[in-house]
Amino acid sequence: MNGIYVRAAYAISIIALIIGLLMIFNSSSRGQSLASAESLRNGGMMDTNQYNLIYEAGINQFLILGGIFTGSGLLIAILVSFTLLIKSKPFAEEEIRA
């Protein structure tokens, strides 16, 4: 692999990992802001059960998206590292003599 592609792949994986972790850690505040925005659209009044349902759905959305970003970032980093490991493997003696 070319060095530029390796750096780009690592940069993408680190960015995806950071975005995913931020989404996971901020999921409760995002869920609350989604539920509050929906409450304001209804004139500031809403049933408590409906508010809690929107709140939990918002949290779950950000947890799932954060998990996808985190997992893809880790997968890209592992695949690039494994590819570099395979390419740096020394040649066998039969391959050198041929």
Side-chain angles (χ1 to χ4, degrees):
M1 284 181 104
N2 195 352
I4 296 172
Y5 295 126
V6 171
R7 287 188 207 127
Y10 275 130
I12 290 171
S13 68
I14 288 172
I15 289 170
L17 185 67
I18 290 172
I19 289 172
L21 289 175
L22 286 174
M23 288 179 83
I24 289 172
F25 291 137
N26 292 325
S27 63
S28 65
S29 64
R30 296 294 180 183
Q32 184 180 7
S33 67
L34 286 173
S36 296
E38 186 65 31
S39 175
L40 288 176
R41 267 188 255 151
N42 289 334
M45 301 289 282
M46 183 182 276
D47 183 37
T48 306
N49 290 330
Q50 187 178 7
Y51 181 86
N52 287 335
L53 182 69
I54 294 170
Y55 178 70
E56 290 176 9
I59 289 174
N60 288 335
Q61 287 174 356
F62 279 94
L63 285 176
I64 290 170
L65 284 174
I68 290 170
F69 273 101
T70 303
S72 65
L74 286 174
L75 182 65
I76 290 170
I78 289 170
L79 288 176
V80 170
S81 298
F82 186 70
T83 304
L84 289 175
L85 181 68
I86 294 291
K87 287 200 171 229
S88 67
K89 179 180 163 186
F91 293 109
E93 282 189 37
E94 298 88 32
E95 293 175 358
I96 295 174
R97 291 182 187 165

